[in-house]
């Protein structure tokens, strides 16, 4: 089930202003990540995710708020590669990652694309972000590297 801004707006009496759509995005993604980790009885350690993915802790807190309330302003909506890096860092399954992409208003992974086939393989093998980047490099694909 894809939760995009248009679907959300059509389910309410008014259309959402752009920044509320961003808040909805951030809230759903963060809530889903927290739910998956809670079901596993695992704590989300932002410093570890930041170190593994190269995404700053402050930015991660926008995606996965520490409190139950979403941040007031989301400066930049996370891109697909960021979402995938977080999924890999948290050892998400392929199904969990597909659902996370849906909440992020992104299309699901497709094995017809070489980059995405590597990501699918890495998720299934529970590879780290580093090991996935090595495999991506070997296959001449874009890497999951981020700079602040």
């Amino acid at each position: 089930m894809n939760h995009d801004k248009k679907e959300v707006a059509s389910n309410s009496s008014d259309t959402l202003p752009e920044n509320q759509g961003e808040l909805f995005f951030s809230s759903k993604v963060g809530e889903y990540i927290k739910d998956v980790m809670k079901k596993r009885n695992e704590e989300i350690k932002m410093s570890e995710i930041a170190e593994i993915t190269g995404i700053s802790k402050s930015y991660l807190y926008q995606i996965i708020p520490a409190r139950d309330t979403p941040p007031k302003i989301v400066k930049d909506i996370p891109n697909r590669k960021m979402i995938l890096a977080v999924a890999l860092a948290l050892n998400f399954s392929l199904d969990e990652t597909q659902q996370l992409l849906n909440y992020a208003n992104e299309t699901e992974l497709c094995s017809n694309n070489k980059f995405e086939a590597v990501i699918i393989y890495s998720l299934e093998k529970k590879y780290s972000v580093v090991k996935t980047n090595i495999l991506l490099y070997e296959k001449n694909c874009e890497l999951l590297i981020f700079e602040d």
Side-chain angles (χ1 to χ4, degrees):
M1 183 173 183
N2 193 348
H3 296 276
D4 65 18
K5 292 177 194 173
K6 286 183 181 178
E7 282 183 41
V8 173
S10 67
N11 291 335
S12 65
S13 57
D14 300 317
T15 58
L16 295 173
E18 190 62 30
N19 67 336
Q20 277 190 330
E22 291 171 5
L23 285 176
F24 171 79
F25 166 86
S26 178
S27 173
K28 287 294 183 186
V29 169
E31 286 173 25
Y32 182 69
I33 291 170
K34 287 182 188 179
D35 287 346
V36 169
M37 299 307 285
K38 188 176 184 178
K39 286 177 187 172
R40 295 181 186 171
N41 292 320
E42 292 181 25
E43 187 179 322
I44 300 172
K45 295 179 181 161
M46 295 296 187
S47 57
E48 287 179 18
I49 298 170
E51 189 175 317
I52 291 167
T53 63
I55 302 169
S56 72
K57 276 185 6 180
S58 62
Y59 191 78
L60 285 168
Y61 277 114
Q62 288 187 51
I63 301 168
I64 313 164
R67 292 178 233 114
D68 289 335
T69 57
K72 291 183 179 171
I73 298 171
V74 177
K75 293 178 184 173
D76 297 306
I77 291 180
N79 66 37
R80 184 177 185 80
K81 286 174 38 176
M82 287 180 176
I83 297 295
L84 294 172
V86 169
L88 285 162
L90 294 174
N91 292 313
F92 272 29
S93 69
L94 177 58
D95 288 341
E96 290 166 338
T97 303
Q98 299 289 40
Q99 185 61 49
L100 184 62
L101 288 168
N102 282 329
Y103 282 127
N105 298 321
E106 294 282 346
T107 59
E108 292 185 354
L109 293 167
C110 175
S111 61
N112 293 338
N113 174 296
K114 185 167 56 167
F115 171 85
E116 294 191 4
V118 170
I119 299 297
I120 291 167
Y121 180 81
S122 295
L123 288 165
E124 290 174 344
K125 295 292 186 179
K126 299 289 185 196
Y127 283 179
S128 67
V129 174
V130 171
K131 195 166 185 175
T132 301
N133 270 333
I134 291 168
L135 190 56
L136 287 165
Y137 178 80
E138 289 171 351
K139 301 293 182 185
N140 296 314
C141 295
E142 235 180 287
L143 305 180
L144 296 172
I145 295 177
F146 308 99
E147 296 177 19
D148 289 331

